[in-house]
Amino acid sequence: MPFDKTVVVPLDPDATFDLVTRPDRLRRWQTVAARVDLQAGGEYRWTVVPGHSAAGTFREVVPGQRVVFGWGWEGDDELPPGSSTVTVTLTPTAGGTEVRLVHDGLNAEQAARHAEGWNHYLDRLVAAAQTSDAGPDDWAAAPDPLDELSSAEATLAVVQRVLRGVTADDMSKQTPCTEFTVSQLADHLVGSITSLGGAAGATFDDDPGKPVEARIADLAQPALEAWRNRGVDGTVTLGTNSFPATVAAGILSIEFLVHAWDFAAATGGDVAVSEPLAEYVLALTHKIISPEGRKAVGFDDPLPVEHTSDAVTRLIAYTGRHPVPAA
């Protein structure tokens, strides 16, 4: 039972094709993270919402006109990667491009679930075409269940949204981390991602010349994919020390969310984060960062804050930064 829907986006076919295939464009409306080898036979992996990644192989790629790919979900025995087919056809029309999406190879129950998803994301596709960014995705805001890896994926979405608004002129601005400008904090975050991702077996190809959002996203994607493949059992090695894998994976969420706040404070951006996610990261921080280890991770003494404050405010105060309420 196929899902079949058409929408019109106010862009030409080439720009629309980029929006539905390029990782930096997909992050604006459909995915938290994306790996794409855009050629027939090339593989893709999209983390659509935290804890749920679609994967498959491109079967046909005609730039500006058509893309066909296998579709399925990691860890789903009933609809594994590549077991169904998505066809996206682009046709010029008055006012932009007609986008027709057909999803074949689904049973009735799967078709109903995917109809809900595609309707949600096709609406966001139109919004992204209109305004260049569809805004925070409510479906990605508060994963259920929340664990070390779904939290890392959700907080990655938060920091990416902040970094998307960072300009070249912002890179020299001072952050609340007194030793770091925005540029230096980005380098620090790169080091954290590659160290923590490397502990799970990820390899990286860093390009400091990329826009900062793309640089962080393109490193975080293989890091989180490696953690998904490895899981959080046992221990991992960071430097010369051994740590429980749950601790190493949990640090990613702390890095992403605290530094999202740092970047936003330095550049005038907003940190859009759900209260359940921020509460989870705050609890991780209390569990992972010991009083003795605060200085080693760049935390000053905690600052007093009203117990009724939102979780991000309490998290930032715990790190020794002067907080402002989250957006």
Side-chain angles (χ1 to χ4, degrees):
M1 178 179 293
F3 170 83
D4 188 337
K5 182 168 181 173
T6 299
V7 296
V8 175
V9 302
L11 297 172
D12 65 45
D14 289 337
T16 302
F17 187 81
D18 286 347
L19 199 55
V20 300
T21 58
R22 283 178 43 177
D24 61 321
R25 300 294 194 266
L26 287 163
R27 292 193 296 271
R28 299 181 184 187
W29 64 280
Q30 186 177 21
T31 71
V32 173
R35 169 171 57 81
V36 172
D37 180 13
L38 190 59
Q39 59 180 329
E43 296 181 349
Y44 76 92
R45 180 183 187 270
W46 298 346
T47 300
V48 180
V49 295
H52 298 277
S53 293
T57 301
F58 291 104
R59 299 173 184 171
E60 183 181 351
V61 177
V62 183
Q65 299 179 41
R66 178 180 170 91
V67 60
V68 182
F69 48 95
W71 177 277
W73 298 96
E74 290 184 350
D76 187 337
D77 293 336
E78 295 184 1
L79 193 70
S83 59
S84 62
T85 303
V86 175
T87 302
V88 181
T89 304
L90 310 180
T91 306
T93 190
T97 300
E98 184 180 270
V99 179
R100 182 185 181 195
L101 186 146
V102 179
H103 193 165
D104 284 306
L106 305 172
N107 63 32
E109 181 182 352
Q110 292 164 345
R113 292 201 308 267
H114 282 78
E116 182 181 7
W118 285 124
N119 283 324
H120 174 76
Y121 284 107
L122 287 171
D123 286 347
R124 286 178 56 80
L125 170 65
V126 174
Q130 291 169 336
T131 63
S132 85
D133 193 314
D137 183 3
D138 290 343
W139 286 17
D144 183 18
L146 263 169
D147 55 30
E148 291 87 357
L149 297 185
S150 64
S151 174
E153 291 163 347
T155 51
L156 172 62
V158 174
V159 72
Q160 286 175 166
R161 280 202 49 77
V162 174
L163 291 175
R164 204 165 295 147
V166 172
T167 67
D169 291 340
D170 290 326
M171 299 301 285
S172 61
K173 291 179 178 177
Q174 180 63 51
T175 72
C177 302
T178 55
E179 68 271 36
F180 292 143
T181 63
V182 170
S183 177
Q184 291 165 336
L185 184 59
D187 289 339
H188 164 80
L189 186 54
V190 164
S192 297
I193 292 168
T194 55
S195 174
L196 293 163
T203 58
F204 303 95
D205 183 14
D206 183 28
D207 180 359
K210 288 181 179 177
V212 64
E213 187 268 347
R215 183 186 183 197
I216 295 301
D218 289 348
L219 295 172
Q221 190 283 322
L224 292 177
E225 183 174 355
W227 273 106
R228 280 289 175 192
N229 289 333
R230 184 202 179 281
V232 294
D233 294 333
T235 61
V236 295
T237 300
L238 291 171
T240 59
N241 298 314
S242 180
F243 291 86
T246 52
V247 169
I251 293 171
L252 282 165
S253 294
I254 301 169
E255 288 279 317
F256 289 148
L257 188 52
V258 171
H259 293 322
W261 186 91
D262 290 330
F263 287 122
T267 63
D270 291 325
V271 179
V273 56
S274 70
E275 191 70 3
L277 177 60
E279 288 279 9
Y280 181 83
V281 178
L282 177 60
L284 277 180
T285 306
H286 281 286
K287 182 169 69 174
I288 292 173
I289 308 301
S290 67
E292 302 77 25
R294 295 181 64 86
K295 294 297 183 184
V297 297
F299 286 7
D300 291 330
D301 291 336
L303 299 175
V305 67
E306 293 290 337
H307 73 278
T308 55
S309 298
D310 61 72
V312 168
T313 298
R314 287 180 280 129
L315 171 64
I316 296 307
Y318 184 71
T319 71
R321 295 157 168 84
H322 290 278
V324 292

